[in-house]
């Protein structure tokens, strides 16, 4: 069954509060999103890296008059994530974010900016034909982010399908033992070529 206008939608952002994570774009976009989906809440999960930026984010929420934005602080992600419908990552720079892997492992689709490895984690690479586990958007692009959030909000079946793809991608390509073996192989090759 699809979410109705009366169902409560819970969106998460697993993110430390810092300018590089561009929480402000998420807040501006969520204010617009609430006009379309009033029964939604945004839960920002993570510690504060920059107190000034955190204060600016809180002031922005007040200025926008947007309801249902919760700065949850540091929480047990594995418990909290089960309560969410999807997650959003609006960073302007990333490497390989654990926030996406955590969401996918919990069968939660992700909307993320197309920076670092985000696209590969969400859409897979040339060897990974599992499908999309979320939606990539350009950084700092409120309209694209809003469109993606509305797409997922209005299609519970698609969220479930993407969640299943994400869980399979993590299990297949990002299992801890597999990753340790790959790192070990890289170091072994590097050492043998150095000794050479």
């Amino acid at each position: 069954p699809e979410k109705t206008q009366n169902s409560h939608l819970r969106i998460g952002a697993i993110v430390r509060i810092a300018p590089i994570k561009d929480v402000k774009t998420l807040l501006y976009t969520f204010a617009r999103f609430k006009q379309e989906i009033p029964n939604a809440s945004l839960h920002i999960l993570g510690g504060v890296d920059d107190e000034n930026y955190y204060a600016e984010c809180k002031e922005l929420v007040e200025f926008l008059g947007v309801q249902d934005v919760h700065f949850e602080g540091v929480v047990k992600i594995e418990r909290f994530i089960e309560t969410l419908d999807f997650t959003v990552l609006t960073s302007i720079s990333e490497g390989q974010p654990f926030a996406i892997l955590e969401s996918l492992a919990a069968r939660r689709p992700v909307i993320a900016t197309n920076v670092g490895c985000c696209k590969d984690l969400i859409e897979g690479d040339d060897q990974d034909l599992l499908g999309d586990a979320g939606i990539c958007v350009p950084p700092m692009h409120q309209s694209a982010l809003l469109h993606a959030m509305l797409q997922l909000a209005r299609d519970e079946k698609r969220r479930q399908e993407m969640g299943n793809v994400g869980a399979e991608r993590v299990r297949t390509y990002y299992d801890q033992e597999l990753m340790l073996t790959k790192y070990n192989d890289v170091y072994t090759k590097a050492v043998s070529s150095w000794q050479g």
Side-chain angles (χ1 to χ4, degrees):
E2 295 197 356
K3 281 257 180 200
T4 66
Q5 214 46 12
N6 296 322
S7 301
H8 190 82
L9 190 86
R10 291 171 58 93
I11 302 166
I14 305 168
V15 61
R16 56 190 167 82
I17 312 293
I20 201 164
K21 300 300 182 179
D22 195 17
V23 178
K24 290 182 182 179
T25 289
L26 178 57
L27 296 173
Y28 277 114
T29 307
F30 184 69
R32 292 171 62 194
F33 177 84
K34 283 279 282 182
Q35 294 170 5
E36 300 284 331
I37 312 285
N39 297 316
S41 56
L42 175 62
H43 303 267
I44 299 171
L45 318 172
V48 175
D49 270 15
D50 185 318
E51 290 289 346
N52 290 333
Y53 187 73
Y54 177 53
E56 290 171 10
C57 289
K58 301 270 289 188
E59 288 168 14
L60 180 58
V61 170
E62 205 170 304
F63 172 76
L64 293 170
V66 63
Q67 302 296 308
D68 303 311
V69 175
H70 308 280
F71 291 89
E72 306 285 359
V74 177
V75 299
K76 292 223 179 266
I77 296 295
E78 62 275 12
R79 286 191 198 153
F80 206 108
I81 204 165
E82 298 292 326
T83 70
L84 303 174
D85 291 289
F86 61 90
T87 65
V88 180
L89 185 67
T90 51
S91 301
I92 54 177
S93 179
E94 279 293 350
Q96 181 177 314
F98 284 118
I100 292 181
L101 290 170
E102 289 171 320
S103 294
L104 299 185
R107 296 184 185 277
R108 297 303 182 266
V110 181
I111 298 168
T113 47
N114 188 7
V115 294
C117 289
C118 294
K119 187 170 184 160
D120 284 347
L121 292 174
I122 289 172
E123 298 179 5
D125 58 21
D126 295 340
Q127 283 77 45
D128 172 356
L129 305 176
L130 294 171
D132 293 342
I135 302 171
C136 269
V137 297
M140 303 178 77
H141 198 301
Q142 291 180 37
S143 294
L145 179 59
L146 176 63
H147 181 68
M149 289 172 68
L150 289 172
Q151 279 185 308
L152 290 191
R154 291 173 171 152
D155 194 341
E156 185 174 4
K157 183 171 183 273
R158 186 172 182 206
R159 290 199 308 271
Q160 289 171 347
E161 289 167 354
M162 287 178 160
N164 291 337
V165 167
E168 183 63 26
R169 177 163 294 129
V170 169
R171 190 169 37 256
T172 305
Y173 297 104
Y174 298 96
D175 172 77
Q176 184 176 2
E177 289 301 317
L178 177 65
M179 294 303 286
L180 290 172
T181 300
K182 285 182 178 180
Y183 275 114
N184 191 45
D185 289 348
V186 168
Y187 287 121
T188 301
K189 285 178 187 170
V191 168
S192 65
S193 68
W194 178 70
Q195 291 172 338

